Amino acid sequence: MKNRIALLIIAILTFVKSVDAQDFNPQYSGHFNVGVLYGSNKTRVQIETIHGIEFDRWFAGIGAAIDDYYQQSIPAFIDVRGAIFKRKKTPFVYAEAGANILNKGTETEYSKTEYKSGLFCEGGLGYKIDLANKTTLNFACGFSYKDHVENLYYKMYYGPAPYYHPIPEGEWSRRNHNKYTLQRIVMKIGIQF
Amino acid sequence: MKTIYKISMRIITLLSIMWVMQGCLKDMVDTTLTYTVYTPVYKTLQQIKEEIKTLPPKDIQFPNRIYFKDNYVFVSESYKGIHIINNANPASPQNVGFVDIPSNRDMAMKNNTLYADMFGDLLAIDVSDPKNAKLKNSVSNVFQDYPNYLPDSKIIVDYNKKDTVIHSRSSALPKKGEIWYYYDNGKWLTYSSNDGMNQSGPQGTASPSTPTYGTGGSMSRFTATKQRLFTVGNNNMAVFNITNDFNPSFVTRKPLPWGIETIFPFKEHLFVGSTTGVFIFSISDPDQPNQIGAFGHVRRCDPVVANDKYAFVTLRGGGTCGGNTNQLDVLSLESLTSPTLIKSYALDNPFGLSIDNDLLFVCDGASGLKIFNAADVSNLVLKTTIRDIFPRDVIAINGVAMVITDKGLYQYDYKDINNIKLLSKIEIRK
């Protein structure tokens, strides 16, 4: 899965690089998108903002999102997208890749959860409609992937009586290492300005 | 209208594709579960008692209680036994040996006799020669809330450990936000030995005319004074007559409310800490401790120490202690029958404490060892904080603070409060 996404990004970047230098007239552009994430777990919302430069039919920028699917995280990514036609209404393709950032975790007296950030990738097709004042309405649909690692630790607690147990109290004595790979379909609507 | 129709159709098409594809997606979790299988090692009670003697020194792994007498520090290893440390020179403490006492948690001393619990039994161990400790006597099945055994049954004294790792791949199910704890998994640590040193034992004889007692940490459940050994269980206090050092005899048991945690002696009184308050007992008749006062508080874990005028109580919240507040309460003992709260001071995660004249030492968990000037209890002044340790209990005596920490036994010289020095440390090795 990761290899396929990486190949897609490389292909897009190669294509972008091949754009005729004469077409190169970069301008700042930003995106604000709201999406819905469908997967085998509960459907959740994604909100993202992307900022970068637009040149000819292409856009490249960096973005960040709030991704509430399964385990809330903040993907930070590079976004590349290109319109298929040079028209006011045109389909486009896009790809995003970066880090899926989580908080450090939580700790109570007898349990501890550590999160480690993982990979975030997304790619898909969309349709853009130019509105007035260089504003564009975008619809998009794609595949979104994120992963992360969760380490769970537990301390022993024997209750008030001093029963003879092999493990003294107070140690992080048990560990679960979980790597989550989450695959979603994303549908977005947003504004490019 | 035509455009709207086109857009609508495209959206419907997209939604249909998504709906179809959603079934192809599967959130997965790859789990590596690390756990340990423990196989019990059994011995008979007779075997256990025959083997109670000083073994070569062992590394401290899970220190629990601390006790100081004469020049010796006794550190209990949770459920395993007691380390004997010659502390004649606190800058260079010598680990003398280890007394193997399965299930042991608490201890106290009179003269050269170490009283320790083993399952439901009380043991009297002669440590006049710490290198050659000997079990002198025991009182059977006196600790009601400790696990007991049948006379002829075999007792678990150790566990053989086998680490196991299991890999699995499964669907990532929705989280419920609830964690359940298992009671039988974890890490088992093995002993390693060091060569000991020949040392003379604690001062005194088996039964001198003037008995001498040691000083226990504030988290202790055992204390010895006035020719008696007082122990607290979860809901009771037991009294043993130790006039004859090597032959303790059970005297009485007093029922107490549930949640009893610690016991601290001061002159003619015992201060008993519980999860719901502090109880004050008069021991003018040591065979019949008489509750004369109490101070209630919200449910917390609370070791207590006292001097002539005040009692100092740390209240720790969280986990099994209940609540979330963490504080130090200073109580006036002007009237022992009705102690009153003078002032509360906020702390972070307090455990044991100790007082030496006007200096109050408080183990404040991850926030370190805090040392207050307690000359004016209405205005405790934090003199210094020793950070980078997680202290659990402390005995401050004669200018030396002996601190049980997450890293081992640390000792500090506080004769000059403005220049506290780390004298030594015996570090935990696991």
Side-chain angles (χ1 to χ4, degrees):
Chain A
M1 177 56 63
K2 288 178 190 174
N3 290 341
R4 287 181 193 177
I5 292 166
L7 280 173
L8 176 66
I9 293 166
I10 290 166
I12 291 170
L13 288 172
T14 307
F15 187 76
V16 168
K17 200 175 175 183
S18 69
V19 172
D20 192 332
Q22 288 178 349
D23 294 335
F24 194 77
N25 180 23
Q27 286 185 326
Y28 166 78
S29 180
H31 293 249
F32 182 79
N33 300 321
V34 177
V36 181
L37 297 158
Y38 295 89
S40 59
N41 272 287
K42 197 172 179 181
T43 300
R44 306 299 286 196
V45 173
Q46 183 196 63
I47 299 169
E48 68 178 9
T49 180
I50 308 161
H51 302 271
I53 53 172
E54 189 175 38
F55 46 97
D56 193 42
R57 290 180 288 127
W58 296 94
F59 169 88
I62 56 172
I66 297 171
D67 186 326
D68 205 29
Y69 185 83
Y70 194 79
Q71 180 69 49
Q72 192 175 71
S73 61
I74 299 179
F77 51 85
I78 294 170
D79 178 289
V80 178
R81 58 185 66 205
I84 306 294
F85 307 113
K86 211 168 183 177
R87 299 196 305 227
K88 286 191 173 183
K89 297 174 185 173
T90 174
F92 67 88
V93 294
Y94 79 99
E96 295 170 348
N100 181 41
I101 300 166
L102 284 85
N103 63 25
K104 285 185 177 178
T106 57
E107 181 173 340
T108 67
E109 194 165 2
Y110 289 99
S111 69
K112 182 167 69 172
T113 304
E114 283 178 359
Y115 293 118
K116 291 187 177 174
S117 299
L119 179 69
F120 171 81
C121 291
E122 193 174 301
L125 295 167
Y127 192 80
K128 58 192 285 188
I129 301 167
D130 282 354
L131 305 174
N133 299 326
K134 293 186 177 179
T135 304
T136 303
L137 180 64
N138 291 343
F139 301 94
C141 180
F143 173 78
S144 180
Y145 169 94
K146 70 173 182 177
D147 65 37
H148 71 272
V149 168
E150 175 190 67
N151 288 320
L152 303 174
Y153 302 87
Y154 305 103
K155 270 186 189 175
M156 297 308 298
Y157 170 62
Y158 301 129
Y163 295 110
Y164 180 42
H165 285 270
I167 318 139
E169 290 178 321
E171 287 291 299
W172 296 117
S173 56
R174 183 167 168 266
R175 199 183 104 165
N176 283 18
H177 172 94
N178 297 320
K179 181 171 182 181
Y180 289 92
T181 52
L182 308 172
Q183 304 174 35
R184 304 82 54 84
I185 295 289
V186 60
M187 191 177 79
K188 298 180 191 181
I189 183 169
I191 295 287
Q192 182 180 358
F193 47 88
Chain B
M1 183 61 79
K2 201 173 176 181
T3 305
I4 293 171
Y5 174 76
K6 275 184 178 176
I7 291 171
S8 301
M9 288 308 294
R10 282 166 185 163
I11 290 172
I12 289 167
T13 305
L14 278 174
L15 285 171
S16 303
I17 293 168
M18 286 173 61
W19 185 75
V20 171
M21 287 188 68
Q22 188 182 355
C24 306
L25 302 176
K26 199 81 174 170
D27 294 333
M28 301 300 292
V29 54
D30 294 286
T31 298
T32 305
L33 175 63
T34 306
Y35 72 101
T36 308
V37 176
Y38 295 93
T39 309
V41 176
Y42 295 96
K43 283 184 182 174
T44 64
L45 184 62
Q46 188 60 32
Q47 282 178 305
I48 294 171
K49 288 187 174 177
E50 284 171 1
E51 292 172 9
I52 291 179
K53 59 187 177 186
T54 307
L55 300 172
K58 295 181 175 179
D59 289 330
I60 296 174
Q61 297 178 330
F62 294 100
N64 190 3
R65 308 289 194 241
I66 181 171
Y67 198 89
F68 177 74
K69 186 167 190 306
D70 302 324
N71 287 324
Y72 281 81
V73 179
F74 298 82
V75 176
S76 71
E77 183 77 33
S78 294
Y79 309 105
K80 307 299 282 183
I82 295 171
H83 301 276
I84 304 176
I85 296 160
N86 185 326
N87 205 44
N89 178 8
S92 179
Q94 302 297 320
N95 195 342
V96 172
F98 181 76
V99 182
D100 199 349
I101 310 173
S103 92
N104 169 258
R105 287 190 72 172
D106 272 286
M107 67 193 137
M109 283 187 74
K110 177 196 164 195
N111 300 328
N112 288 333
T113 305
L114 174 68
Y115 301 99
D117 61 287
M118 184 183 79
F119 299 101
D121 292 3
L122 174 69
L123 308 180
I125 301 167
D126 178 8
V127 291
S128 49
D129 176 5
K131 286 284 287 180
N132 189 25
K134 292 173 188 165
L135 176 65
K136 301 298 280 190
N137 217 327
S138 65
V139 187
S140 297
N141 294 333
V142 283
F143 300 121
Q144 290 180 326
D145 46 358
Y146 283 31
N148 270 309
Y149 48 83
L150 297 171
D152 298 325
S153 66
K154 290 187 174 180
I155 297 166
I156 297 172
V157 295
D158 208 344
Y159 291 85
N160 290 323
K161 173 193 171 191
K162 184 182 176 188
D163 289 328
T164 305
V165 178
I166 289 180
H167 300 281
S168 66
R169 183 171 171 80
S170 58
S171 298
L173 299 173
K175 293 192 174 185
K176 304 287 185 189
E178 185 82 16
I179 296 171
W180 291 92
Y181 307 117
Y182 293 86
Y183 283 68
D184 58 351
N185 284 329
K187 185 167 60 178
W188 170 240
L189 298 136
T190 54
Y191 289 129
S192 62
S193 301
N194 291 327
D195 290 331
M197 293 181 66
N198 288 320
Q199 303 288 343
S200 61
Q203 298 300 305
T205 63
S207 294
S209 55
T210 305
T212 58
Y213 304 97
T215 304
S218 63
M219 307 285 275
S220 181
R221 285 175 174 267
F222 280 26
T223 192
T225 184
K226 295 191 73 171
Q227 300 281 23
R228 300 293 181 276
L229 173 70
F230 300 91
T231 69
V232 288
N234 293 314
N235 65 342
N236 62 82
M237 178 195 293
V239 183
F240 298 85
N241 187 325
I242 53 173
T243 306
N244 182 339
D245 296 4
F246 296 149
N247 190 24
S249 61
F250 176 74
V251 176
T252 189
R253 185 186 315 281
K254 285 186 72 73
L256 296 174
W258 276 99
I260 301 299
E261 297 180 314
T262 62
I263 186 167
F264 182 84
F266 187 74
K267 294 186 177 174
E268 292 294 310
H269 299 95
L270 298 175
F271 294 80
V272 173
S274 83
T275 53
T276 53
V278 176
F279 302 97
I280 304 172
F281 289 83
S282 165
I283 48 173
S284 52
D285 176 2
D287 285 338
Q288 294 296 331
N290 179 33
Q291 185 182 331
I292 57 170
F295 176 80
H297 56 64
V298 292
R299 185 168 165 263
R300 297 288 186 276
C301 293
D302 80 328
V304 53
V305 296
N307 60 21
D308 281 314
K309 294 181 179 175
Y310 308 105
F312 301 87
V313 188
T314 55
L315 306 183
R316 184 173 81 257
T320 56
C321 299
N324 291 310
T325 55
N326 292 280
Q327 65 192 52
L328 167 72
D329 280 358
V330 183
L331 310 181
S332 168
L333 300 180
E334 196 171 334
S335 166
L336 285 164
T337 55
S338 56
T340 53
L341 178 67
I342 295 175
K343 192 171 179 179
S344 294
Y345 297 86
L347 293 171
D348 296 322
N349 187 28
F351 287 80
L353 69 170
S354 182
I355 187 157
D356 183 11
N357 293 317
D358 287 338
L359 292 177
L360 178 67
F361 297 74
V362 179
C363 299
D364 200 10
S367 298
L369 179 68
K370 293 179 175 172
I371 304 169
F372 296 90
N373 183 335
D376 177 3
V377 293
S378 299
N379 183 29
L380 293 187
V381 178
L382 180 62
K383 295 294 291 183
T384 188
T385 301
I386 299 171
R387 298 184 193 280
D388 75 16
I389 56 171
F390 191 116
R392 292 189 182 273
D393 206 358
V394 54
I395 295 175
I397 191 165
N398 300 329
V400 176
M402 292 159 271
V403 191
I404 290 292
T405 78
D406 61 330
K407 297 175 183 171
L409 173 64
Y410 280 48
Q411 300 195 65
Y412 298 90
D413 180 346
Y414 61 88
K415 293 184 187 79
D416 179 359
I417 190 62
N418 296 312
N419 184 26
I420 292 178
K421 297 172 191 165
L422 175 65
L423 288 172
S424 64
K425 53 187 176 184
I426 298 177
E427 291 188 291
I428 286 172
R429 288 181 187 165
K430 295 179 180 176

